[in-house]
Each structure stands twice: as structure tokens, then as C-alpha cells.
Amino acid sequence: MALSTRIRISIVNFASLFYFKKKSKVIFYHDIHSDKKYTEMSTPIEVFKNHIQIILENGYEIVAEITKPIGQIEICFDDAFLGLFKNIELIKKLKIPIQLFVISSYINKKNHINKQQLLEFNYDSLFTISSHTKSHKILNDISEEEIRGELKDSKHELESLLGCEVSSICFPEGAFNNRVVQIANSLNYKKQYSCIPGFYFNQVFPSVIGRSLVQFANKTEFESILKGGDHILSFWYKYKYYKK
Ligand SMILES: [Zn+2]
């Protein structure tokens, strides 16, 4: 493990000692795998199962949508890689709601779910399908017209495929600025998810929800992140992801 990673984890573990309330928050992964990995960002299924056990043992409830300031965890998966679909039976067995952020132009692409699999997810009430833009462009780097296209086209494509409203979006690589937020609001994306850690009801920016990446967290780090230990680094994440 790189020294910078070890230092980051130590800071997160230490900071978590100062949080006593179990405030509700969103955590996210990219994929899970039992044998074949579809992305280097994938979490081994045993690690994922341990995380779920820790969440439940600590008295949190896993929900599709957070409604209470205390005690609820929402789980998201980004990019719609194939591993989650291959392990759909595990998710059904665990009965955990999952929000899946889909890049609309990646449907049917190698290592990603196809249209049929997307429909199967949508058919199951455990899964909520949301937008992760049309082609995963970094929204801070493109023109206003392109941002609008990325957000509008993915919403339209997903809604016509699924036959239901898509009202949440996650910004690719967590990058956003005021213009991105304005456009997302104008397109009626009621919830916008970032990669800046934060509790659900302490929005990192108006209309933007914080999330914590937990895909490689061991037991101690995962418990620290649940408590909010990673929030101490949010100034650094804001610097990295948010541009005026
Ligand atoms: Zn992504």
C-alpha cells in the first residue's frame, strides 16, 4: 500500500474518534466480483459482504432513499459494470436497495451491462436507475452546450428505455461547478451526487449530496468512514472536484 494511502487512512481513522452520532450518509462502489473482475475498481464480494455486516451490526438501516438525519445508509454503484449484474442473486438475498448510476452510451459496451440487464435491474424494486451522463465526460472541462447534451441526452435515453422518470444524477469523477449544477437543476435532476464526503443532510453545495468511496476499505477504515472520519479531508476533495 502506498505511503500516501496509509497516511490518508490513519487520518480518517483518527478523525472518526470525534463523531458520536450515527448520521445518515451515502457510500459508493464501482463494482463487485466473485471471480472475474470487470474493472480494477471492483470490490471482492467477501469485502462487500463484510461491509454490509458492519453497517447492520452498527445499527444502521440500508435504504433506497435517506429520509432521516440519523441511522440510514444509501448505497450507490457507478458506471454499471457487469460484475454487479453477475452477482444480482447476492443483492437479492441480502435485500439491499442500490442506486445504479448508468452512463447511457456505455450500455451494451464491453464489461458493462447490456439493455436487457438494465431492464432486469429496473424491474427489481431493489434497484433505482439514475444517470451518470451520456458519455462520462468531465463536466468541468466542456462547454455549456456539451454539459446540457450530456445531462439531457442521458436522462432522455434512460427514461425512454425504462419508461419511468430518472431524477438523480452523479457527476463523472465527481467533478462539477456552478454551471453544471444550474443545468442539472434546469433539467429537473432533483438529486445530484458528488464524490465529496459529507453527511446526507449537510449538503456539500446547495442541491449537491456528498458521498464516500469505500470500495477498498478494510474493516477499521470502513467503520471510520461510516462515522464520518473522511469528512476531515473534504476541503481537499472540494479543491479537487469543485471548480468555480
Ligand atoms: Zn463514473
Side-chain angles (χ1 to χ4, degrees), residues 30 41 78-79 81 101 103 132 136 170-174:
H30 281 89
M41 298 180 285
D78 288 9
D79 301 358
F81 288 105
F101 289 107
I103 309 157
H132 197 24
H136 210 268
C170 162
F171 303 133
E173 296 191 16

Side-chain angles (χ1 to χ4, degrees), residues 1-13 233:
M1 192 190 288
L3 181 64
S4 58
T5 309
R6 254 183 284 166
I7 293 172
R8 183 181 54 78
I9 294 172
S10 302
I11 293 172
V12 168
N13 289 343
L233 302 171

Side-chain angles (χ1 to χ4, degrees), residues 7-213:
I7 293 172
R8 183 181 54 78
I9 294 172
S10 302
I11 293 172
V12 168
N13 289 343
F14 178 72
S16 74
L17 300 174
F18 300 95
Y19 290 95
F20 302 103
K21 285 186 188 163
K22 292 187 298 186
K23 285 195 183 179
S24 302
K25 67 182 284 164
V26 184
I27 58 172
F28 76 105
Y29 300 83
H30 281 89
D31 204 18
I32 48 174
H33 65 275
S34 34
D35 41 29
K36 185 175 161 38
K37 256 198 234 182
Y38 296 93
T39 164
E40 281 311 307
M41 298 180 285
S42 185
T43 303
I45 206 150
E46 290 309 320
V47 173
F48 181 72
K49 281 200 249 178
N50 285 341
H51 285 181
I52 301 302
Q53 200 183 341
I54 293 167
I55 292 172
L56 299 175
E57 277 173 4
N58 280 279
Y60 292 97
E61 175 193 12
I62 302 171
V63 295
E65 208 171 350
I66 291 175
T67 53
K68 297 176 192 165
I70 304 287
Q72 294 184 326
I73 299 291
E74 196 179 304
I75 300 179
C76 303
F77 275 73
D78 288 9
D79 301 358
F81 288 105
L82 203 44
L84 182 64
F85 185 80
K86 298 275 179 187
N87 290 285
I88 195 169
E89 288 309 320
L90 172 77
I91 304 295
K92 287 183 186 177
K93 205 170 113 194
L94 294 170
K95 294 195 181 82
I96 42 176
I98 282 175
Q99 176 158 222
L100 183 60
F101 289 107
V102 178
I103 309 157
S104 58
S105 74
Y106 283 29
I107 301 165
N108 296 331
K109 267 197 184 176
K110 189 173 183 257
N111 293 335
H112 292 79
I113 58 168
N114 63 30
K115 191 180 147 189
Q116 197 51 43
Q117 291 159 338
L118 177 73
L119 293 175
E120 214 170 303
F121 272 134
N122 193 48
Y123 184 70
D124 194 311
S125 60
L126 282 176
F127 295 91
T128 305
I129 308 297
S130 297
S131 168
H132 197 24
T133 73
K134 184 188 168 106
S135 60
H136 210 268
K137 284 194 182 124
I138 308 306
L139 300 173
N140 283 346
D141 297 343
I142 57 177
S143 71
E144 190 166 337
E145 200 183 334
E146 283 176 295
I147 299 170
R148 191 167 285 280
E150 282 290 316
L151 271 53
K152 196 177 173 177
D153 292 354
S154 65
K155 186 172 170 59
H156 182 76
E157 282 163 25
L158 290 173
E159 286 179 346
S160 42
L161 266 175
L162 305 172
C164 60
E165 199 198 353
V166 170
S167 58
S168 298
I169 186 162
C170 162
F171 303 133
E173 296 191 16
F176 67 101
N177 54 31
N178 290 347
R179 193 159 60 179
V180 170
V181 171
Q182 271 167 14
I183 295 171
N185 286 336
S186 75
L187 293 170
N188 215 12
Y189 279 115
K190 294 179 191 92
K191 289 187 185 178
Q192 299 147 26
Y193 291 77
S194 73
C195 300
I196 300 173
F199 293 120
Y200 187 84
F201 286 102
N202 300 77
Q203 286 177 320
V204 289
F205 285 87
S207 84
V208 181
I209 298 161
R211 298 191 306 166
S212 295
L213 183 64

